[in-house]
Amino acid sequence: VMLTLPIAALSMERARAASALRRREEQYRLLADYSSDLVLRLDAEGRAGFVSSAVRRLLGLEPAALSNHGLLA
């Protein structure tokens, strides 16, 4: 019984943190998708993990054309 309360509290805290993270990700995605600027998220190797839809207007490319491709090599 003594372990139940701390585990339940940790579980609730984890659920709250996951919910907050989802909200922040949704807000980021909305901002990036509706921005007139090109937004990229690159990993350490220079691969684009996220490419905003502004790439269509600015470069005439689909976001998927740049996603997961090395851009800094």
Side-chain angles (χ1 to χ4, degrees), residues 4-15:
T4 304
L5 184 59
I7 291 172
L10 288 173
S11 179
M12 289 175 56
E13 180 58 31
R14 184 174 288 181

Side-chain angles (χ1 to χ4, degrees), residues 18-70:
S19 178
L21 177 60
R22 277 192 300 277
R23 282 193 308 275
R24 286 191 303 270
E25 287 173 342
E26 289 170 6
Q27 291 170 345
Y28 169 78
R29 181 114 11 215
L30 281 171
L31 177 65
D33 282 345
Y34 290 100
S35 173
S36 60
D37 296 329
L38 179 58
V39 178
L40 301 170
R41 185 183 68 228
L42 304 176
D43 64 13
E45 286 79 38
R47 290 185 303 260
F50 173 81
V51 180
S52 69
S53 59
V55 74
R56 289 186 191 103
R57 184 179 51 79
L58 296 171
L59 302 177
L61 299 170
E62 288 297 314
L66 296 179
S67 293
N68 296 317
H69 287 71

